[in-house]
Amino acid sequence: MNLLLFGPPGSGKGTQAQFLSVEYRIPQISTGDILRDDVKRATPLGRQAEVFMKRGDLVPDELMVEMIRERIRRADCSGGFMLDGFPRTVPQAEALDQMLDSIGQRIDRLLSLHVDAEELVTRLTERWTCPSCSLTYHPASNPPRDDQRCDADGAGLIRREDDNAETARRRAQVYFERTYPILDFYRPRGLVVEVDGNGPIQEVRNRVKVALQGEPRAA
Ligand code: ADP
Ligand code: ADP
């Protein structure tokens, strides 16, 4: 299964990806996580990406396409993969198609999560992230067992620099202007599965499970 995860920042892609990765036994490839790791290590990519990420803008397509090309060639993707945060522009989607064509693969499904705008801002400004493994938490809907520590590795949780109200709104705007239109690129192929991402995590998880079992359909 080659799966694309879509949805505005804070819609729960990373949270649902955790379940899906176990269920389908495919790696979750989060371009945001890869970029943040590069920023931390001050690699050439990280140094170029940082300024865009801080503003809530998209990192240029050429950099992102090269990153994904390298990532999906790795052995762990041979049985399928899940892309969380890529493609985010039509040129990225076109480049992904070409890349997959050249290795005899294709996208099987695109899961799009829909969440109310105000809920998105609340989720992002209250999100806690593990700086070590990137798992996310929320004080109300998904608290860690131990106050402020990651359940998986015990690292102290942090608030991402771009998870402030102003940048969160900017990221949502960028999503609706530049990323949302990609759905029309995939829709004619019948791959798009739309799911209501409002409500408790477990409920969304059940909806996602049912939606991915059936034929692609609108919510
Ligand atoms: P994304 O990867 O789409 O940016 P995350 O999965 O990181 O979103 O979720 C954003 C925040 O909202 C996190 O703090 C997460 O714990 C929380 N969250 C995820 N799904 C839900 C949900 N269904 N209801 C409430 N909070 C949620
Ligand atoms: P969220 O989980 O909140 O949606 P991400 O972690 O996916 O955010 O992305 C964080 C930032 O990394 C984005 O605001 C953007 O600057 C950059 N980024 C991630 N993926 C891409 C991409 N495919 N194209 C361009 N920029 C990207």
Side-chain angles (χ1 to χ4, degrees):
M1 168 85 119
N2 293 336
L3 181 64
L4 300 184
L5 285 187
F6 256 61
S11 57
K13 299 181 296 297
T15 302
Q16 297 301 325
Q18 247 178 281
F19 304 131
L20 292 169
S21 179
V22 173
E23 196 141 320
Y24 290 103
R25 296 199 196 93
I26 50 176
Q28 170 201 0
I29 301 172
S30 158
T31 45
D33 289 348
I34 299 174
L35 287 170
R36 277 184 290 279
D37 186 55
D38 274 77
V39 169
K40 205 160 38 178
R41 292 185 294 117
T43 64
L45 170 64
R47 285 203 297 268
Q48 290 178 84
E50 192 173 13
V51 51
F52 297 98
M53 296 173 76
K54 268 198 180 137
R55 289 201 302 252
D57 284 334
L58 294 180
V59 174
D61 288 338
E62 316 80 74
L63 297 176
M64 298 310 301
V65 168
E66 273 325 298
M67 175 211 281
I68 285 295
R69 195 189 304 283
E70 190 275 320
R71 183 62 187 88
I72 62 178
R73 276 202 197 123
R74 290 200 213 155
D76 65 338
C77 292
S78 60
F81 54 79
M82 177 171 32
L83 297 185
D84 165 4
F86 189 96
R88 261 169 146 109
T89 63
V90 171
Q92 289 183 15
E94 288 168 347
L96 179 64
D97 266 359
Q98 282 172 9
M99 234 179 269
L100 292 179
D101 254 2
S102 72
I103 54 173
Q105 294 214 35
R106 62 185 163 79
I107 299 301
D108 298 305
R109 284 292 169 87
L110 183 158
L111 171 68
S112 175
L113 292 172
H114 296 265
V115 173
D116 298 339
E118 278 317 303
E119 165 77 4
L120 291 174
V121 176
T122 310
R123 285 189 193 177
L124 287 180
T125 52
E126 294 177 2
R127 168 161 73 181
W128 287 100
T129 301
C130 174
S132 164
C133 72
S134 304
L135 281 179
T136 62
Y137 299 87
H138 187 277
S141 59
N142 187 22
R145 278 194 300 271
D146 184 3
D147 193 31
Q148 314 264 314
R149 303 224 149 255
C150 177
D151 291 352
D153 56 28
L157 301 176
I158 57 155
R159 190 141 283 160
R160 265 170 54 180
E161 210 182 324
D162 57 349
D163 279 347
N164 59 73
E166 188 191 342
T167 313
R169 290 208 171 86
R170 168 87 193 130
R171 283 150 63 206
Q173 183 195 353
V174 168
Y175 174 81
F176 286 108
E177 281 174 14
R178 303 200 50 203
T179 303
Y180 194 68
I182 308 184
L183 287 181
D184 289 335
F185 176 87
Y186 288 105
R187 231 186 279 277
R189 297 189 216 170
L191 306 179
V192 176
V193 176
E194 299 190 68
V195 170
D196 179 2
N198 293 290
I201 291 174
Q202 189 60 42
E203 267 179 34
V204 177
R205 181 183 179 178
N206 292 340
R207 274 181 226 137
V208 166
K209 201 168 167 175
V210 170
L212 286 177
Q213 277 161 0
E215 287 300 307
R217 62 179 171 77

